[in-house]
Amino acid sequence: MRDTLTILGLESSCDDTAAAIVRLSGDAPDEGVILSSVVAGQTELHADFGGVVPEIAARAHTEKLDLCVEEALDAAGLTLHDIDAIAVTAGPGLIGGVLAGVMLAKGLSVASGKPLVGVNHLAGHALTPRLTDGARFPYLMLLVSGGHCQFLIAKGPEDFERLGGTIDDAPGEAFDKTARLLGLEQPGGPSVEREAQVGDPKRFRLPRPLLDRPGCDMSFSGLKTALLRERDQLIAAKGGITRQDRADLCAAFQASVSDVLAEKSRRAIRAYLALSPDAPTLAVAGGVAANKSIRGALETVCAETGVMFIAPPLALCTDNAAMIAWAGIERLRAGHTDGLDLSARPRWPLDQSAAPMLGSGKRGAKA
Ligand code: KG4
Ligand code: ZN
């Protein structure tokens, strides 16, 4: 392997258009340096529709991707000639967006003569703790965002075992829907968390779905239905809900999600520790990991079980291209590149041997 590898990464699988440049030097073979990372969000474009509209997302990616690449190169003070390979999210995600990224990456690869590396978006998230903290395999990973929710044991750059995941909504999606039901602004996670700070989590008792069943699978869609019922009962009784009612509902919802994630993490840790890892570690990724109450609950579980807790900086937990560039480096180091027949895959489970999830991540069919 060459002493230094400099990789351009592209990400366009959901509603963030991103480009980044990550460098790996021979001096620190397990740590990447992010030379630049540009993310152009699309929240405003989708704001009127209550969710990501795939066609609007795809068009915006097509318009923004090359600008993001230019910006990432400028910020790193590099040109395409200085890049060793081009890594791109080839799935899973919204097909129009993934295609936009894959087509641009192929064009750049042909124009520059640099190799192309197709990356699984979930592998990007799952390998981030190596980029940020040099995590050693095997480590346990919890992906919790608007589109993903699963426990994985990362055993190698392309070797992941899924222990379980949501069978319906992802937790971020449930936060977003809860915010909508209570008239709070999107994205729902931060709004619900803000309200919950002044709420009583015990006034309403919402369910803890699937805790009565063994294993690490989760379900979050019933929670918002239970919350809707409580809200409607309040409206029927009093003609509306007060600020305090809203805060109490948010607190109850957040407590339920925290409890479920904590208990399922406990179970996932038990299964993971059976592998006798040298440096037991649980890492989180995804926007929901920003939630202080959820993060606190996970930290407590880790402290109880003697497992190290890693939460990468939020900008690297949410969708970004630095994680794609890093996953590209890991794939390239393992000797893999892709040809111009690289295809965009809307579904692409990390653990091909695990049973397919029922409807995991309706926002982006994240498999
Ligand atoms: O990882 P991310 O930026 O995008 C994907 O979904 O891939 O995660 C966004 C999700 C949204 O659903 C948002 O409501 C949720 O993460 N989120 C939060 C918080 N901040 C963002 N959920 C709970 N608490 C938060 N503080
Ligand atoms: Zn993601």
Side-chain angles (χ1 to χ4, degrees):
M1 193 185 81
R2 299 204 5 210
D3 268 3
T4 304
L5 271 178
T6 308
I7 306 278
L8 168 68
L10 305 181
E11 159 60 33
S12 55
S13 65
C14 190
D15 58 349
D16 289 303
T17 314
I21 295 166
V22 175
R23 177 170 285 166
L24 179 77
S25 88
D27 304 338
D30 278 326
E31 251 173 69
V33 177
I34 299 171
L35 300 185
S36 63
S37 180
V38 177
V39 180
Q42 303 178 353
T43 310
E44 278 160 27
L45 293 179
H46 304 286
D48 290 343
F49 303 98
V52 177
V53 183
E55 290 77 7
I56 294 178
R59 190 175 316 155
H61 287 308
T62 309
E63 284 167 6
K64 291 269 175 63
L65 260 171
D66 50 353
L67 299 174
C68 287
V69 170
E70 249 179 69
E71 213 179 313
L73 285 168
D74 283 351
L78 300 176
T79 70
L80 207 48
H81 297 292
D82 304 312
I83 300 294
D84 293 309
I86 296 148
V88 61
T89 300
L94 300 171
I95 188 67
V98 179
L99 261 175
V102 168
M103 296 308 286
L104 178 64
K106 285 181 183 177
L108 292 173
S109 169
V110 169
S112 65
K114 308 291 165 115
L116 176 70
V117 187
V119 166
N120 182 311
H121 174 90
L122 299 172
H125 280 301
L127 294 170
T128 299
R130 285 173 58 70
L131 167 65
T132 58
D133 293 80
R136 296 285 173 91
F137 297 122
Y139 56 88
L140 181 63
M141 188 74 214
L142 170 60
L143 299 184
V144 267
S145 71
H148 334 291
C149 180
Q150 50 187 304
F151 288 103
L152 295 162
I153 300 178
K155 298 178 173 173
E158 296 190 85
D159 185 4
F160 301 97
E161 179 186 347
R162 197 185 69 206
L163 298 177
T166 183
I167 59 168
D168 42 52
D169 291 355
E173 195 175 6
F175 269 97
D176 295 341
K177 287 178 179 168
T178 293
R180 219 165 284 133
L181 290 176
L182 298 175
L184 297 168
E185 60 179 45
Q186 296 293 319
S191 312
V192 170
E193 181 172 21
R194 212 174 307 121
E195 292 290 319
Q197 275 163 9
V198 290
D200 171 6
K202 298 218 170 75
R203 178 171 157 210
F204 301 101
R205 176 77 195 163
L206 298 183
R208 269 53 178 168
L210 296 193
L211 280 197
D212 55 341
R213 289 213 222 139
C216 299
D217 280 347
M218 291 164 278
S219 163
F220 295 100
S221 70
L223 266 183
K224 64 165 195 297
T225 315
L227 183 127
L228 180 64
R229 202 175 311 121
E230 296 287 358
R231 184 202 71 174
D232 288 350
Q233 277 172 11
L234 289 170
I235 294 174
K238 306 195 292 189
I241 62 169
T242 64
R243 183 93 209 268
Q244 192 59 49
D245 293 336
R246 193 161 73 173
D248 293 344
L249 285 168
C250 286
F253 170 80
Q254 184 175 273
S256 170
V257 176
S258 281
D259 283 357
V260 170
L261 288 173
E263 175 52 27
K264 295 288 177 171
S265 297
R266 220 169 262 127
R267 295 182 195 177
I269 286 173
R270 223 173 289 141
Y272 160 67
L273 289 179
L275 297 179
S276 308
D278 287 340
T281 302
L282 168 68
V284 283
V288 179
N291 186 287
K292 290 191 193 66
S293 150
I294 292 173
R295 197 185 271 236
L298 297 174
E299 276 169 339
T300 304
V301 171
C302 284
E304 279 166 16
T305 49
V307 167
M308 192 165 87
F309 181 71
I310 294 182
L314 191 61
L316 294 174
C317 275
T318 54
D319 286 352
N320 67 88
M323 69 179 191
I324 301 304
W326 174 258
I329 287 176
E330 298 247 31
R331 236 173 97 66
L332 204 61
R333 282 202 294 191
H336 300 297
T337 56
D338 290 283
L340 291 178
D341 57 350
L342 173 69
S343 47
R345 298 174 63 174
R347 284 196 176 267
W348 184 2
L350 270 183
D351 180 354
Q352 309 272 354
S353 65
M357 304 303 288
L358 291 181
S360 170
K362 287 176 196 151
R363 258 182 57 178
K366 295 290 187 184

